[in-house]
Amino acid sequence: MTEAENEHSTKRAEKPTHNTKRKEKIMLDLAIIGGGPAGLAAGLYATRGGLKNVVMFERGMPGGQITSSSEIENYPGVAQVLDGMSFMSPWNEQCMRFGLKHEMVGVERVSKNADGSFSVFVEGGAEQKAKCVIVCTGSAPRKAGFKGEAEFFGKGVSTCATCDGFFYKNKEVAVLGGGDTAIEEALYLANICAKVYLIHRRDEFRAAPTTLEKARQNAKIEFITSAVIDEAYGDESGLLGVKVRLKDGALRDLKVPGIFVFVGLDVRNEVLKQANGEFLCAMEQGGQVSVNLKMQTNVAGLFAAGDLRKDAPKQVVCAAADGAIAALSAISYVESLH
Ligand code: FAD
Ligand code: NAP
């Protein structure tokens, strides 16, 4: 929760009682929830566009999910291939220069008040009021649902190759999934590990053809397609292997100490859930926030941007553009209140 004081409170006519200055939390012009590419771009455009009190509530270090990626090579204008962390670090620095404040805390809920303002409730129960809110909470790795996945999560089952790949240097690992993340991270792991088994439930892949082709050309990657994981097994030391059910029904036992699960993402929309269990604004069936081209929800003053919104292409460049659009809409909204 922001500790910012009302800078005007000390200029009040009435004298403070008991010689103490009255502290009040200011009404923010804008609260941004989430500090990935969408939240940071929103912060940049909002502060540079003249909004005065803008706080980005981000529970961790700013940067978002791309910071777990081993490389990004498709952001226009950035020709150099960078790891996600190096790619995002200037974003934060640039925003802070224009006055964006970061509160490192998780938000539990955003609600709308009778006077039209919003309340942002953070972990621990504190409340911060804001004239408008942009929700940019993005998405998180989905669980595949095989036996043993939860039991060995963090003990051999991982969703971050950049974070955990090094633990399996010169060892064999498995990767599950057929999207861009699975194939890109399989390629990354092939640089470190002795061998990568790429397990996918179909023969066709969602991943970009060029990335797929690179993986097919990599001698260290073995494709096991039309196959599902029956079970991950191990002992108190961690994962010892995965049993893979093949197309013909046969079971293949891969004795790997690590499996990386990249089976898609679920949007993080919890902050919009109200005490009565309903969402604050209109949502899509899959849990994404319904927005128009201005990133407006159906609630005045509430915007959503990035992976969280309907039809998001789930790309950094798109999340950043959404954030900028949402900030411009927020500026117009605040102006309309005067
Ligand atoms: P996110 O990046 O998900 O950021 C959301 C932020 O909100 C997070 O930092 C989270 O901590 C915070 N948050 C969530 N809930 C709360 C809460 N309640 N309180 C406070 N903070 C909260 N895209 C590309 O364009 N090119 C690529 O090469 C590429 N590679 C990828 C590789 C991997 C491994 C992954 C996982 C994704 C990749 N993507 C890539 C996709 C890209 O990362 C996303 O589309 C983009 O990060 C979405 O940005 P966002 O700001 O909407 O959300
Ligand atoms: P994704 O594109 O949704 O792919 C998920 C993969 O996991 C699919 O192949 C799916 O199989 C498989 N899968 C889903 N549930 C499964 C289960 N329970 N068990 C086994 N397999 C399962 O997810 P993603 O790869 O994480 O990508 C998410 C988004 O980010 C995409 O839009 C992607 O383009 C984007 N992204 C982009 C880049 C880039 O631009 N370089 C990099 C990474 C991610 P099916 O195919 O059979 O459904």
Side-chain angles (χ1 to χ4, degrees):
M1 174 56 62
T2 177
E3 288 303 319
E5 288 174 44
N6 185 342
E7 54 196 11
H8 306 297
S9 65
T10 54
K11 295 178 194 155
R12 285 197 179 145
E14 72 263 25
K15 266 190 168 174
T17 52
H18 306 302
N19 214 16
T20 55
K21 283 181 194 158
R22 195 166 144 197
K23 285 189 177 181
E24 272 177 19
K25 292 203 188 296
I26 52 164
M27 164 82 79
L28 301 178
D29 276 350
L30 169 65
I32 297 167
I33 322 293
L40 285 164
L44 176 65
Y45 273 72
T47 50
R48 216 173 154 265
L51 292 189
K52 290 284 174 273
N53 297 304
V54 184
V55 172
M56 180 181 76
F57 295 86
E58 163 58 60
R59 64 156 59 98
M61 289 303 291
Q65 56 180 287
I66 190 69
T67 57
S68 75
S69 173
S70 50
E71 61 177 48
I72 172 159
E73 62 175 6
N74 60 358
Y75 195 85
V78 182
Q80 196 188 351
V81 180
L82 294 170
D83 64 85
M85 194 70 89
S86 311
F87 175 77
M88 286 310 294
S89 83
W91 291 47
N92 191 34
E93 197 188 309
Q94 186 184 17
C95 290
M96 299 304 152
R97 234 191 300 141
F98 290 100
L100 179 69
K101 296 181 197 95
H102 171 206
E103 291 294 330
M104 198 185 276
V105 68
V107 170
E108 284 181 344
R109 182 160 50 91
V110 176
S111 62
K112 182 142 189 172
N113 303 311
D115 65 0
S117 69
F118 291 85
S119 285
V120 176
F121 296 95
V122 301
E123 285 159 3
E127 176 184 357
Q128 170 69 63
K129 288 206 166 136
K131 291 178 187 167
C132 59
V133 175
I134 304 177
V135 182
C136 313
T137 43
S139 52
R142 186 177 294 155
K143 301 269 180 282
F146 55 81
K147 193 175 163 207
E149 183 183 25
E151 184 185 348
F152 293 104
F153 194 84
K155 291 182 272 177
V157 177
S158 170
T159 54
C160 180
T162 326
C163 321
D164 300 332
F166 193 73
F167 297 131
Y168 306 103
K169 193 169 171 24
N170 299 328
K171 295 181 181 162
E172 296 195 344
V173 294
V175 165
L176 180 66
D180 282 311
T181 307
I183 308 303
E184 285 182 5
E185 299 311 295
L187 281 161
Y188 172 77
L189 289 164
N191 289 329
I192 303 169
C193 305
K195 177 161 185 165
V196 179
Y197 298 98
L198 193 282
I199 304 160
H200 178 40
R201 65 185 179 185
R202 291 190 296 141
D203 279 328
E204 285 171 0
F205 289 80
R206 288 171 195 265
T210 48
T211 318
L212 189 60
E213 194 45 37
K214 261 196 241 171
R216 289 201 190 280
Q217 297 302 324
N218 191 311
K220 279 189 172 176
I221 301 178
E222 179 182 335
F223 281 69
I224 305 177
T225 55
S226 298
V228 294
I229 295 181
D230 254 17
E231 178 188 359
Y233 62 91
D235 59 20
E236 57 291 338
S237 70
L239 186 79
L240 295 175
V242 288
K243 289 184 180 160
V244 182
R245 180 79 53 191
L246 305 175
K247 200 193 241 172
D248 61 5
L251 210 54
R252 184 166 171 194
D253 189 358
L254 300 177
K255 298 199 184 316
V256 288
I259 175 154
F260 291 83
V261 178
F262 301 117
V263 295
L265 304 160
D266 287 321
V267 288
R268 288 178 170 135
N269 56 21
E270 307 83 10
V271 299
L272 291 166
K273 219 172 220 169
Q274 305 301 287
N276 65 5
E278 287 182 12
F279 285 104
L280 177 58
C281 59
M283 309 290 281
E284 302 292 302
Q285 253 185 357
Q288 301 87 351
V289 181
S290 308
V291 288
N292 62 17
L293 289 175
K294 292 182 173 177
M295 303 301 142
Q296 293 166 318
T297 68
N298 66 331
V299 172
L302 180 69
F303 309 88
D307 275 15
L308 174 76
R309 59 103 167 154
K310 135 187 184 195
D311 296 334
K314 302 214 171 67
Q315 292 289 292
V316 173
V317 66
C318 305
D322 280 7
I325 294 167
L328 296 176
S329 299
I331 293 168
S332 302
Y333 178 78
V334 171
E335 277 167 2
S336 76
L337 299 175
H338 297 147

